[in-house]
Amino acid sequence: MDKFRAMNTFVQIADAGSLTAAAWAMGASLPAVVRLLAAYEADLGVRLFNRTTRRISLTEEGRRHLESCRALLAAVSDAEADLKNDATEPTGQLTITAPVLFGQMHVAPIVTRFAQHHRQMRCRMMLMDRVVNLLEEGIDVGIRIGHLQDSSLVALPLGEMRHVVVASPAFLREHGGPSHPNDLLKANCVRVVDHTPTWGVFRDGNKTLKLSVSGNLEFNHIAPAVQACAAGAGFGQFLWYQVAPQLNSGELRTVLDGFEDTPRPIHVVYPHARLLPTRTRAFIDFIRQELKGFAPGNTPP
């Protein structure tokens, strides 16, 4: 028995949801598909499908075996693609997600250059400030800032990002700069609504400090909070890229640099380690080269 053909037939039946539909999709006769499935089940010694006159459904063994077959078939396809695509441009659609502002500032230009370099590809970028489920939402690659929670994703490091406290020069002249993070407890702080009770995390030697600060301004989006700080409303805490334009222009200054927490890691993430389409692998290699060692703001010691 041709095991590769049997596995492919099994996957086709599972995907099509019926023997008849699978036979049609494969261009084979229904009796031939039925015979091959029966022979494959006999060879394995397990029933892969529960079959009635009206429907077909995977058994528990069938569900487990389906994932193994998908992986094996994809590995074969991937191995063939590696050879075929050595001299071939990547094709097809690639969907990338990134945080809104970071994506606008740093990822979108890279995606544009990648698309210009690979004219046969279609690149779609989705900028969202929420954690996206790549598999459920049909996204190929994600850019994430911060420590990762989803262990089902493959994560490759791109760089790191400082988490800084800032204020306007005018505010610092009027109120003075803090010498210790605890000084912020008595200051007016601009907050961005999130799901954590603390405003920020700091390092004081070997100790970790978590502060719950207060202030008369609170926003649910980064941009107006940054604008408020630049206007002299109080102290704010942001990732470096979120305030980079204002820091470069002198509208904001960083304070408490020596108490900053460990920089947040930046990763490119994707669902599978080995079974990547050529277009996905090409983009991952491209963005890793473009953002290699990315660490804006010269992380302080």
Side-chain angles (χ1 to χ4, degrees):
M1 180 178 55
D2 184 339
K3 290 280 185 76
F4 184 81
R5 181 164 168 257
M7 285 184 183
N8 187 58
T9 299
F10 165 55
V11 172
Q12 289 279 0
I13 296 169
D15 288 344
S18 76
L19 293 164
T20 302
W24 183 86
M26 297 170 63
S29 69
L30 178 58
V33 170
V34 171
R35 283 195 301 270
L36 186 55
L37 175 61
Y40 191 43
E41 288 180 323
D43 184 69
L44 293 173
V46 298
R47 180 177 289 275
L48 298 173
F49 292 100
N50 293 312
R51 296 186 281 280
T52 68
T53 56
R54 306 188 69 173
R55 62 189 300 268
I56 186 170
S57 62
L58 286 163
T59 62
E60 180 59 34
E61 294 80 6
R63 279 192 290 272
R64 293 203 308 269
H65 191 54
L66 179 62
E67 295 307 311
S68 299
C69 286
R70 287 194 198 281
L72 287 169
L73 293 172
V76 172
S77 176
D78 207 43
E80 291 177 344
D82 280 342
L83 295 176
K84 293 178 181 178
N85 289 317
D86 279 345
T88 305
E89 277 288 299
T91 60
Q93 179 167 296
L94 184 73
T95 303
I96 306 115
T97 186
V100 175
L101 187 56
F102 186 75
Q104 291 173 347
M105 295 173 65
H106 299 289
V107 183
I110 293 173
V111 173
T112 299
R113 290 193 292 273
F114 180 77
Q116 290 173 326
H117 189 66
H118 299 287
R119 294 289 185 177
Q120 297 183 49
M121 286 193 57
R122 301 183 309 279
C123 295
R124 181 169 66 118
M125 190 166 185
M126 302 175 66
L127 301 179
M128 293 175 282
D129 283 330
R130 62 179 175 84
V131 177
V132 179
N133 187 307
L134 302 188
L135 285 173
E136 288 184 3
E137 301 190 39
I139 296 173
D140 300 295
V141 179
I143 308 301
R144 301 251 172 108
I145 301 174
H147 299 287
L148 303 173
Q149 304 296 325
D150 190 346
S151 60
S152 68
L153 297 175
V154 179
L156 300 176
L158 294 175
E160 57 187 20
M161 184 68 63
R162 289 173 61 186
H163 202 209
V164 296
V165 176
V166 298
S168 71
F171 184 86
L172 292 173
R173 283 194 299 270
E174 182 178 353
H175 300 278
S179 59
H180 188 275
N182 285 334
D183 294 338
L184 296 172
L185 296 173
K186 297 176 288 186
N188 198 62
C189 296
V190 178
R191 298 186 70 249
V192 179
V193 177
D194 56 25
H195 301 291
T196 60
T198 57
W199 186 66
V201 179
F202 298 88
R203 300 292 300 177
D204 186 2
N206 294 325
K207 296 187 298 182
T208 299
L209 302 178
K210 296 182 179 181
L211 301 182
S212 295
V213 300
S214 60
N216 66 346
L217 275 175
E218 184 175 275
F219 299 91
N220 70 340
H221 199 276
I222 294 293
V226 172
Q227 292 167 1
C229 290
F235 293 102
Q237 190 174 44
F238 307 95
L239 292 171
W240 179 275
Y241 77 90
Q242 294 168 337
V243 290
Q246 290 78 13
L247 290 171
N248 291 334
S249 68
E251 294 176 87
L252 290 174
R253 294 178 184 172
T254 63
V255 297
L256 298 172
D257 291 358
F259 294 92
E260 285 179 22
D261 192 23
T262 305
R264 308 287 178 88
I266 307 171
H267 291 95
V268 55
V269 298
Y270 54 95
H272 302 292
R274 294 181 296 110
L275 312 175
L276 288 178
T278 302
R279 59 182 176 273
T280 307
R281 186 184 296 110
F283 177 75
I284 290 170
D285 292 343
F286 190 84
I287 195 169
R288 291 188 76 192
Q289 185 61 37
E290 291 279 316
L291 290 180
K292 187 177 181 180
F294 186 77
N298 298 320
T299 305

